[in-house]
Amino acid sequence: MDKQIEKITEFAKMRLGQDHTGHGFDHAQRVARLARKITEEQSGDPLIIQGAALLHDTIDDKVVADSAKALQEVEAFLHSLTLTQEQVTEILYIITHLSFSRELEKGKAVLSIEGQIVQDADRLDALGALGIMRTAYFGGSHGHPIYDPEIKPENYQDKATYRKGSTVINHFYEKLFLLADSMNTRLGKEEAMRRKKFMTDFLAEFYQEWAD
Ligand code: ADP
Ligand code: NI
């Protein structure tokens, strides 16, 4: 199994190494590490968890031009590692069902414990200091303003308008704070609350400096 995870890590590095929107290989590695931490107090198949954590953004439309093609490539790659059909199916299911943008359109998917762990790990990396940095980095790469009090946060119902986005600060309300309330595991919930608190404090300071 270690050899298989090593090969998956190499594949993720190759696919995500060029990303400059906050979904690079460093994000995949943090998600894998957070998932391991959550797994310490939760049972779950480590190969499925590490595989899905490392690969979850390699098929994302933010990162790749053709996500259907990327999904086929990930599937072929996993088969080349001689994973069972069941393991491949489970990893592909998790990576195609965990995202917030998918939930906007289709509602919360039913996830296995492995899927719940990877989803929590991905969501934790969207929060806290790292979450703030990734959001600013993403906003900058998409030409969004940092903040504009005239532009109010939206309650997005579909992926296309969500993808357009508005301002970096609005993204905290449009997505990030909602994530903190949607965690699956005990550790995920606890750590999400801690990270959300840090962000709330950050916003208080931000508004103070904006007004000064
Ligand atoms: P998911 O993969 O769960 O659908 P997203 O693709 O919406 O998640 O976002 C992943 C991360 O990318 C967010 O946590 C955030 O840091 C950044 N991001 C996505 N959309 C925006 C946006 N409109 N403005 C700023 N950051 C964004
Ligand atoms: Ni991610």
Side-chain angles (χ1 to χ4, degrees), residues 59-79:
I59 55 142
D60 196 295
D61 62 281
K62 295 185 301 299
V63 181
V64 294
D66 184 345
S67 42
K69 181 163 161 268
L71 186 64
Q72 282 174 2
E73 288 167 0
V74 170
E75 184 172 11
F77 164 69
L78 289 174
H79 278 302

Side-chain angles (χ1 to χ4, degrees), residues 23 60 62 99-101 126 135 138 162-163 165 171 175-176:
H23 300 83
D60 196 295
K62 295 185 301 299
S99 84
F100 175 76
S101 46
T135 300
F138 184 101
Y162 168 69
R163 276 282 177 260
H171 194 66
K175 172 187 176 188
L176 305 178

Side-chain angles (χ1 to χ4, degrees), residues 22-23 27-28 31 53 56-57 60 62 98 121-123 125 134:
H23 300 83
H27 165 63
V31 174
H56 78 278
D57 273 334
D60 196 295
K62 295 185 301 299
L98 59 70
D122 187 33
R123 293 183 170 190
D125 203 51
R134 290 180 63 222

Side-chain angles (χ1 to χ4, degrees), residues 16-79:
L16 302 169
Q18 300 309 311
D19 176 81
H20 297 293
T21 68
H23 300 83
F25 180 58
D26 61 317
H27 165 63
Q29 279 189 305
R30 286 192 302 275
V31 174
R33 190 171 43 77
L34 285 164
R36 281 200 292 281
K37 218 170 179 184
I38 298 172
T39 310
E40 281 169 19
E41 62 171 51
Q42 204 94 51
S43 57
D45 181 336
L47 176 61
I48 302 293
I49 294 168
Q50 291 301 297
L54 289 162
L55 295 172
H56 78 278
D57 273 334
T58 61
I59 55 142
D60 196 295
D61 62 281
K62 295 185 301 299
V63 181
V64 294
D66 184 345
S67 42
K69 181 163 161 268
L71 186 64
Q72 282 174 2
E73 288 167 0
V74 170
E75 184 172 11
F77 164 69
L78 289 174
H79 278 302

